[in-house]
Amino acid sequence: MTSLDPPTRAVRPAGQLAAAVHDAAGAVIHGKAFLFGGGAGSSVSTVQVWSGGSTHIAGHLPSPRSDAAAATSGGRAYVLGGYDGRQLTASVLATGDGARFDTAGRLAQPVRYPAVTALRGQLWVAGGLLGATESNAGAQTSDVQRFDPATGHSRVVGHLPVRLAHAAAFVEGGQVYVAGGKVNGTPQASIYRIDPSNGKVTVAGKLPGPRADAGVCTADGTTWLLGGELGGASALLDTVVAVSTRH
C-alpha cells in the first residue's frame, strides 16, 4: 500500500494488505479505507480495512467478487458490478461497517471493471466489461447507468462515445467524469463529462497519456490517478497524475 500527500505530491509506503489481492473494489467509510473482494488465483470474498497504519480482515462479502468497483454515499459503501468466478454479478451490496452487507438492488446491466462514483445520493456506473474476455468490440459497453440506493433501481441514462472498460470515475463541479480506460484492450487518454441532469456525455479533455485500471481519489479539490496500466502486463505505470477539469 502507498500514501499520497497532496500538497507535496510525495508518495510513500503505507503498509501491506492482510491478504494479497488484485482487482478489488475500494471505498472509505467513516475515515477508514476498505478493500472489498478481489482476485487471488480466484475471486475471493475477503473484506480488508486499513486504519492507523495497519490492515486486518474486517469480514466477508456474501459471496466471492472481483473486478467490481465501489463508492461511498450517505455514510455507506456500495459495491457494484464484478465477477464471482463464473458469471457477472448484478447485485449491488451496501455496508456501513465492512462486516454486514445488505443487497441494495441490482444493476440494469451487470458489468466487470466499470467506472463508478457517487453524486448527490446517486451512484453512477460508466462502461464495463460484459463477459470473460475483451477480445472484440462487443465485449465492452458504452452504457452509463444510474443507481438509486433509495429505491434499489438502476437504469441506463446515457452512453459514452465508445465502448469502454477499466476506466476511473470522479466528481467535480457537480459533474461526473470518466477518465482513461481501455477500448478493445487498448488503454485510452480521453476524459468524458456526464451531465447528471440528463445523462448527456461530452468530451472534456485528455490525460497526459493513456492509462487504465488506475487508482482514483479526490483530495483538496484535485483528483489524482495513481498507477495503472499503459498496455500489456509488463507496462505498468508507477506515476501519479493530477487531474483538474477547471478551465
Side-chain angles (χ1 to χ4, degrees):
M1 298 180 64
T2 57
S3 67
L4 168 69
D5 181 36
T8 65
R9 301 193 178 188
V11 179
R12 302 182 178 89
Q16 293 187 330
L17 296 177
V21 291
H22 59 82
D23 294 324
V28 175
I29 311 174
H30 305 305
K32 296 181 179 180
F34 287 83
L35 202 64
F36 304 103
S42 60
S43 299
V44 300
S45 63
T46 309
V47 177
Q48 305 182 60
V49 59
W50 181 90
S51 180
S54 63
T55 308
H56 64 271
I57 304 298
H60 290 273
L61 300 171
S63 60
R65 186 180 298 211
S66 60
D67 313 340
T72 304
S73 179
R76 307 189 83 195
Y78 293 85
V79 183
L80 305 96
Y83 180 70
D84 66 4
R86 295 175 298 139
Q87 58 187 1
L88 300 179
T89 306
S91 61
V92 177
L93 300 178
T95 181
D97 59 9
R100 293 165 293 183
F101 291 84
D102 301 320
T103 299
R106 296 175 65 84
L107 292 180
Q109 172 60 66
V111 285
R112 301 167 64 190
Y113 301 112
V116 172
T117 192
L119 175 63
R120 299 173 189 153
Q122 304 287 295
L123 282 300
W124 291 82
V125 182
L129 187 64
L130 296 174
T133 65
E134 32 194 323
S135 59
N136 60 73
Q140 293 89 27
T141 180
S142 64
D143 289 348
V144 175
Q145 303 182 65
R146 185 176 63 204
F147 175 78
D148 184 353
T151 64
H153 296 152
S154 69
R155 65 188 184 97
V156 176
V157 296
H159 290 276
L160 301 169
V162 294
R163 298 174 185 265
L164 183 71
H166 303 272
F170 60 93
V171 169
E172 186 176 301
Q175 302 284 292
V176 175
Y177 292 86
V178 178
K182 292 182 182 180
V183 174
N184 298 338
T186 301
Q188 306 292 301
S190 298
I191 303 174
Y192 301 109
R193 179 191 301 111
I194 304 171
D195 186 337
S197 67
N198 56 21
K200 182 179 179 180
V201 181
T202 54
V203 176
K206 283 185 175 295
L207 299 172
R211 183 175 299 244
D213 291 315
V216 58
C217 66
T218 300
D220 298 337
T222 298
T223 294
W224 304 82
L225 298 185
L226 297 88
E229 183 183 334
L230 180 60
S234 61
L236 302 179
L237 297 168
D238 60 1
T239 54
V240 177
V241 172
V243 181
S244 177
T245 57
R246 302 183 185 92
H247 298 288

